[in-house]
Amino acid sequence: MDEFFIKPKIKFGVDSLDYLKNLVAKRYFIVTDSSMVQLKLIDKVLEKLPKDSKVEIFSEVTPNPTVEIVESGLKRLIQFDPECVIALGGGSPIDACKGMLYFEKKVVKECSGGTELNRHFIAIPTTSGTGSEVTSYSVISSGENKIALANEEMLPNIAILNPEFMKSLPPKIIADTGMDVLTHSLEAYISLKGNPFTSALAIEAIKLVKENLLDHYKNPLELSQREKIQYASCLAGIAFNNSSLGINHSVAHTIGAKFHISHGRANAIVMPYIIQVNKNAWQDYANISKELGYKFSNVSEGKDCFLRFVEELKKEMKIEQSLNQLEIDFSDFKLRIPSLIKDIKKDICTEYNPNDLSDEDYVKLLLKIYFGTDEI
């Protein structure tokens, strides 16, 4: 039996933070990062909470949050025992917060003989990329590996989309997170687990990216584009939460962890090569091109139209075309290929990819991604 699942409730718009004024909880645990504190963005949340409430702030989350950070936050969470937990930030604070709540539930359940623990969970994204505020996924780093958790218990109760938080984003972050949105949308659309519900959401997200991302990149203070990219991120999150993803994410997770590349940029670098290798999805890529208004006469041309769109978008936002442009040493890369393939194959995103690649296919793919050519 197939299923399409929607959670959380979504509050959006410039006045969406006013939702916090009506909360009745007395104890709040906020998971965020140091930049949210330094930029005083956390103050926008604090000033909306009930005046007599007690607040504990855990601001130690770093990019690509580690198991150690989740453990540290978990201890603070248990000690403070809040009624409401708020995750504020990009994908890293939200993913870290999900991990804390997930493991807290497991610990409490095991120690109490089955007692369920439910805290009101609010996610407030400050970037438009991961869609983590509406997904049951969390990615945590352990050494050079990324661990992808998936459990519906990690879904927030409320997601608050407020475009004011994105005013201060630098262009590079807008580029990286925007390409992450495109990757989520694209992989949700071509996934073997996709369905009419996820396809409709994914297509709308892709259209919003095409129409608004470059303008948002060039004019971060413009409200309209900022808001629409935020919607695209959320739509894409709902889509892939139901359809899963594919090897674009599996490869990006793996090379991102091994070579310390931001997740969105890793997705963007590998995307053209994944489009070429996913031959079973060429019809889907052509369908997307048609929805975007491109003209072509056959499936291969339709796929190429979408590929050119991706490559032009990357060029305009100054995103590298290959790993060697990041000055990654080839000798080191070559030695890591067997472990890279192993990690890609066991990543939870690989299962529903349209094409099933052999080890030889993966070797060729990784070499193409490194050298920036499709001729290998």
Side-chain angles (χ1 to χ4, degrees), residues 260-275:
H260 309 292
I261 309 167
S262 76
H263 177 61
R265 186 145 299 229
N267 268 323
I269 289 171
V270 308
M271 187 184 293
Y273 310 102
I274 302 298
I275 290 172

Side-chain angles (χ1 to χ4, degrees), residues 166-182:
M166 300 191 298
K167 276 184 177 180
S168 59
L169 290 179
K172 184 175 181 179
I173 299 298
I174 292 174
D176 290 359
T177 55
M179 291 303 293
D180 199 15
V181 174
L182 182 60

Side-chain angles (χ1 to χ4, degrees), residues 28-69:
Y28 297 87
F29 187 78
I30 301 177
V31 177
T32 188
D33 58 38
S34 59
S35 66
M36 293 295 105
V37 177
Q38 292 165 4
L39 295 172
K40 299 189 182 302
L41 293 179
I42 196 169
D43 294 350
K44 294 179 181 292
V45 172
L46 296 175
E47 67 188 18
K48 299 289 185 180
L49 294 176
K51 301 301 181 185
D52 59 343
S53 58
K54 293 184 178 180
V55 180
E56 176 87 1
I57 299 171
F58 180 82
S59 60
E60 298 165 26
V61 179
T62 60
N64 301 312
T66 64
V67 171
E68 291 75 19
I69 286 172

Side-chain angles (χ1 to χ4, degrees), residues 68-229:
E68 291 75 19
I69 286 172
V70 172
E71 288 178 349
S72 177
L74 175 59
K75 292 176 183 176
R76 294 263 297 275
L77 172 64
I78 292 173
Q79 290 170 356
F80 186 66
D81 192 25
E83 300 159 82
C84 179
V85 176
I86 300 173
L88 174 70
S92 293
I94 297 176
D95 277 10
C97 188
K98 285 179 177 179
M100 294 170 201
L101 291 169
Y102 173 73
F103 288 112
E104 184 194 28
K105 285 184 178 182
K106 291 183 73 71
V107 169
V108 170
K109 195 170 184 178
E110 290 174 5
C111 294
S112 62
T115 300
E116 292 288 345
L117 179 65
N118 291 300
R119 303 192 190 280
H120 192 63
F121 178 22
I122 301 171
I124 308 175
T126 59
T127 61
S128 294
T130 67
S132 188
E133 73 276 5
V134 291
T135 75
S136 54
Y137 294 93
S138 173
V139 180
I140 307 298
S141 296
S142 177
E144 289 189 341
N145 297 302
K146 287 194 174 184
I147 303 167
L149 305 173
N151 192 294
E152 287 182 7
E153 292 184 356
M154 291 192 293
L155 276 163
N157 302 101
I158 298 288
I160 297 178
L161 307 183
N162 192 294
E164 293 301 303
F165 284 112
M166 300 191 298
K167 276 184 177 180
S168 59
L169 290 179
K172 184 175 181 179
I173 299 298
I174 292 174
D176 290 359
T177 55
M179 291 303 293
D180 199 15
V181 174
L182 182 60
T183 313
H184 290 153
S185 312
L186 181 60
E187 294 207 292
Y189 190 83
I190 69 171
S191 170
L192 295 179
K193 198 181 174 186
N195 56 63
F197 303 104
T198 58
S199 294
L201 291 167
I203 283 292
E204 182 61 22
I206 292 170
K207 287 179 178 178
L208 287 169
V209 168
K210 181 178 183 291
E211 294 164 4
N212 297 281
L213 181 56
L214 270 182
D215 286 338
H216 177 39
Y217 173 80
K218 294 174 182 178
N219 304 289
L221 296 181
E222 177 60 42
L223 175 62
S224 177
Q225 284 81 24
R226 199 165 74 234
E227 213 166 18
K228 287 173 182 174
I229 291 299

